[in-house]
Amino acid sequence: MPFLGQDWRSPGWRWVKTEDGWKRCEPFSPALEDGSNQLNDISHTVILTGDDEDEEIYSTEDCEFAAKKRKKDHFRNNTDSQCFYREKWIYVHKESTRERHGYCTLGEAFNRLDFSSAIQDIRRFNYVVKLLQLIAKSQLTSLSGAAQKNYFNILDKIVRKVMEDQYNPRLIKDLLQDLSSTLCILIRGVGKSVLVGNINIWICRLETILLWQQQLKNLQMNKQVNNGLTLSDLPLHMLNNILYRFSDGWDIITLGQVTPTLYMLSEDRQLWKKLCQYHFAEKQFCRHLIPSEKGHIDWKLMYFALQKYYPIKEQYGDTLHFCRHCSILFWK
């Protein structure tokens, strides 16, 4: 048969020889064969609707449109609750050529890299959550429709993990707060086509975020019953050494609420001075000196005051890496 099709670059239509001549067939995917047997038996011209007197004639184009719509609905239903790719690395395109059009966008990178498995790794969990928070603040509208769907799928898995493991719920609360604030602003400007998809979808997503926030607010930490050695049984110098390993001031305050001994250690001026010197330069905290009642510098108040003006250093166990020689973005 001659090469015929909608596009000269396409593989062409599939034709079957019958008594009346050659007829065109619409190929179906194996996953849809069971549900589309009715369309396979359709003749080239007529479909009966029920009444013998009234017959409705559908063209071949209508059959093709129905088949394509069924395929699209089948794909959407299968991608509602799963990530699309599980790749460890991607090639970052820097420019467009005749052979390859377009660049490697943020949405493409977010879709193809294996973030679904990264959140299961405790070394990468905080990094992925921080990345989602940065996207929620400024880059949410730059994601494609598929990437936005994948974004909320991964966010759903993160919330489920936190509800099960009670691991770092404060970080997720900050992420959901920034995301809900951004969505409220974007939904008001929906007339400017800033969101991909129907407005009702985004309203449902916003309601889901509010539900997640309520669930995290009502989260109760499980009390572990252990008759062995506990944190309170450790010597003072070991407890003090543990506090000096923290890089977040809120973690120090939270740990200090466990026992009176830890509270006393968490109020140490030298501890907060080291924390300020680690995160901020000397010129920065010299501009915001906060003296205490005794005339000494209140390093604890200084830390939270400087945090409002300057970014703090961030520590992650594992991050995404980029090779400048081969332009590869990859998980280690």
Side-chain angles (χ1 to χ4, degrees), residues 90-95 100-110 112 327 329:
I90 61 170
Y91 178 75
V92 180
H93 305 295
K94 295 182 179 180
E95 57 184 7
R100 174 183 45 78
H101 296 278
Y103 302 86
C104 181
T105 62
L106 176 63
E108 182 182 358
F110 190 83
R112 295 177 58 188
S327 301
L329 185 66

Side-chain angles (χ1 to χ4, degrees), residues 61-121:
E61 286 75 11
D62 295 332
C63 300
E64 295 169 0
F65 176 78
K68 291 179 180 179
K69 187 176 185 302
R70 179 173 296 186
K71 291 180 182 179
K72 185 180 294 185
D73 294 340
H74 176 77
F75 174 77
R76 288 177 178 175
N77 293 334
N78 284 350
T79 55
D80 281 339
S81 60
Q82 63 182 5
C83 299
F84 306 121
Y85 296 93
R86 291 184 177 274
E87 298 182 13
K88 299 295 182 182
W89 61 272
I90 61 170
Y91 178 75
V92 180
H93 305 295
K94 295 182 179 180
E95 57 184 7
S96 179
T97 62
R98 289 185 178 182
E99 292 79 11
R100 174 183 45 78
H101 296 278
Y103 302 86
C104 181
T105 62
L106 176 63
E108 182 182 358
F110 190 83
N111 258 349
R112 295 177 58 188
L113 287 172
D114 189 11
F115 287 98
S116 181
S117 299
I119 62 176
Q120 305 300 328
D121 191 339

Side-chain angles (χ1 to χ4, degrees), residues 114-215:
D114 189 11
F115 287 98
S116 181
S117 299
I119 62 176
Q120 305 300 328
D121 191 339
I122 192 173
R123 299 171 301 173
R124 301 174 180 175
F125 181 83
N126 292 351
Y127 176 77
V128 175
V129 173
K130 186 64 176 180
L131 179 61
L132 264 64
Q133 188 175 8
L134 292 176
I135 293 176
K137 287 182 178 180
S138 59
Q139 300 294 330
L140 189 61
T141 56
S142 64
L143 297 180
S144 62
Q148 290 174 358
K149 183 185 295 185
N150 196 21
Y151 180 94
F152 282 92
N153 288 338
I154 295 176
L155 185 59
D156 182 37
K157 293 183 179 181
I158 290 176
V159 175
R160 291 181 184 179
K161 178 178 174 59
V162 173
M163 296 297 295
E164 294 175 359
D165 302 340
Q166 291 93 31
Y167 177 74
N168 207 345
R170 178 170 52 85
L171 191 63
I172 312 304
K173 291 179 181 178
D174 295 340
L175 166 61
L176 295 178
Q177 181 62 36
D178 293 336
L179 183 59
S180 61
S181 301
T182 303
L183 285 183
C184 289
I185 297 174
L186 293 178
I187 288 176
R188 293 170 189 166
V190 70
K192 301 178 182 180
S193 301
V194 294
L195 294 173
V196 178
N198 193 299
I199 182 63
N200 296 325
I201 298 177
W202 288 98
I203 293 177
C204 292
R205 287 174 176 172
L206 184 58
E207 293 176 352
T208 304
I209 293 173
L210 297 177
L211 178 61
W212 288 338
Q213 288 178 322
Q214 188 64 32
Q215 291 176 351

Side-chain angles (χ1 to χ4, degrees), residues 18-29:
T18 62
E19 297 179 355
D20 299 331
W22 288 91
K23 294 186 181 300
R24 189 173 64 191
C25 295
E26 175 71 17
F28 292 90
S29 62

Side-chain angles (χ1 to χ4, degrees), residues 272-305:
W272 291 97
K273 180 180 179 180
K274 292 289 185 181
L275 197 62
C276 290
Q277 291 176 345
Y278 172 75
H279 287 288
F280 310 106
E282 185 176 356
K283 295 181 179 179
Q284 294 174 343
F285 60 76
C286 285
R287 299 174 184 174
H288 304 275
L289 293 177
I290 302 177
S292 62
E293 297 178 356
K294 298 180 180 181
H296 302 290
I297 299 176
D298 195 336
W299 293 102
K300 182 178 179 180
L301 292 179
M302 272 195 58
Y303 170 79
F304 291 103

